[in-house]
Amino acid sequence: MDCLFCKIVSGEIPSTKVYEDDKVLAFRDIAPQAPVHVLVIPKKHISGWYDAKDESDELLAHLMRAAALVAEKEGLVEGGFRIVSNCGEDADQTVKHLHLHVLGGRKLSSEMA
Ligand code: AMP
């Protein structure tokens, strides 16, 4: 499958890893929008939230917990952080492999959209 994030999982495309376990991978965003900008992805290809079925429940919970762990590892717990996930065209999802953005390290805008 021609998927950028699958290629990052396989190591075909390099990334700066922040956290990894058997189910998820976290790596630094190539175009950071905050001092800390990490992407957390399932290793298994899921194209977006609409593609996540019942059998993915455990994996999705694990993904959220991994994002919180990344925030802790990056020293964001005290100052706070934001977890964002874009889905589909109107949200500007550019990579069709489910991912969470973990953002922090500065005061973030209070605008949600
Ligand atoms: P989204 O627009 O929500 O689909 O997010 C995709 C993110 O992937 C963007 O923030 C990009 O900067 C990021 N990105 C694209 N290519 C790479 C790459 N090779 N390594 C790390 N991050 C990437």
Side-chain angles (χ1 to χ4, degrees):
M1 190 188 305
D2 193 25
C3 168
L4 176 68
F5 286 176
C6 284
K7 287 179 182 164
I8 285 180
V9 170
S10 71
E12 195 182 327
I13 291 175
S15 67
T16 307
K17 283 180 198 172
V18 172
Y19 173 78
E20 180 174 21
D21 63 29
D22 57 328
K23 298 187 188 74
V24 304
L25 174 67
F27 54 95
R28 298 204 187 279
D29 196 292
I30 204 167
Q33 295 185 30
V36 175
H37 187 170
V38 175
L39 300 173
V40 188
I41 68 170
K43 287 187 169 177
K44 174 186 163 188
H45 184 85
I46 297 174
S47 57
W49 290 103
Y50 43 82
D51 185 36
K53 307 286 187 250
D54 289 354
E55 72 273 10
S56 308
D57 285 0
E58 201 183 320
L59 176 59
L60 296 179
H62 189 79
L63 189 71
M64 284 302 295
R65 286 177 62 88
L69 187 67
V70 164
E72 188 183 6
K73 277 175 169 294
E74 293 290 309
L76 299 178
V77 172
E78 198 180 324
F81 58 94
R82 182 169 292 159
I83 297 173
V84 176
S85 187
N86 298 319
C87 188
E89 223 174 294
D90 281 354
D92 275 337
Q93 181 185 4
T94 57
V95 180
K96 305 291 185 275
H97 182 128
L98 185 65
H99 52 281
L100 304 177
H101 297 255
V102 178
L103 298 149
R106 66 164 164 81
K107 180 77 181 157
L108 299 166
S109 155
S110 56
E111 283 177 34
M112 289 292 283

